């Protein structure tokens, strides 16, 4: 599984919540076509460490409990790590989003323009 380094420099342009948590990640210089226009979808439990260092263990479809994700809106990805199916995005204010494989369900996936698609299935660790 290739580390999606193309996400570095992308800003969170949209967040969406239902039975999944979605982040639209875009890197589009002014007056140019988007270099990257990707969507990260998290379907199982994940963690957001906010800019103050507080950890929030979150689960999709929990409504207002997902508020810490809103603080990522407008933030820019500064680092990406991928190991054994676990993804960590670090943002320009020091916040981090971490998603990892689930033993029973698809946990997260990445798709879009400018990135290689990734799907982390049940128990997957590459």
């Amino acid at each position: 599984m290739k580390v999606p380094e193309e996400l570095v420099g992308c800003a969170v342009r949209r967040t969406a919540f239902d039975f999944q948590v979605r982040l639209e990640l875009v890197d589009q210089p002014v007056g140019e076509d988007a270099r990257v226009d990707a969507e990260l979808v998290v379907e199982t439990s994940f963690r957001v460490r906010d800019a103050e260092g507080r950890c929030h263990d979150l689960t999709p479809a929990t409504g207002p409990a997902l508020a810490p994700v809103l603080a990522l809106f407008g933030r820019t990805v500064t680092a990406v790590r991928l190991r054994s199916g676990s993804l960590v995005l670090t943002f320009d204010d020091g916040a981090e989003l971490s998603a990892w494989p689930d033993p029973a369900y698809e946990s997260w996936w990445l798709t879009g323009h400018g990135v290689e698609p990734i799907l982390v299935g049940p128990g997957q660790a590459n």
Side-chain angles (χ1 to χ4, degrees):
M1 191 178 301
K2 180 181 171 283
V3 176
E5 295 174 358
E6 301 84 4
L7 295 179
V8 173
C10 289
V12 178
R13 291 277 178 91
R14 181 176 60 89
T15 59
F17 309 99
D18 50 28
F19 293 99
Q20 304 168 326
V21 171
R22 296 171 178 265
L23 298 180
E24 183 180 16
L25 301 161
V26 178
D27 183 2
Q28 184 171 10
V30 175
E32 296 182 29
D33 291 335
R35 178 184 67 86
V36 175
D37 188 350
E39 183 175 51
L40 173 65
V41 178
V42 181
E43 297 189 27
T44 58
S45 296
F46 65 103
R47 175 174 294 146
V48 171
R49 183 180 55 102
D50 64 28
E52 288 76 38
R54 293 182 302 261
C55 288
H56 306 274
D57 292 326
L58 305 170
T59 303
T62 55
L66 294 168
V69 177
L70 294 174
L72 301 177
F73 181 77
R75 306 286 8 143
T76 299
V77 176
T78 58
V80 179
R81 295 188 309 272
L82 180 61
R83 183 174 178 196
S84 300
S86 294
L87 175 71
V88 178
L89 299 180
T90 304
F91 296 90
D92 56 355
D93 65 351
E96 287 187 343
L97 181 143
S98 303
W100 49 83
D102 184 275
Y105 302 101
E106 290 181 355
S107 55
W108 65 270
W109 47 277
L110 178 71
T111 188
H113 169 76
V115 295
E116 293 289 324
I118 299 173
L119 171 64
V120 176
Q124 184 174 347
N126 291 334

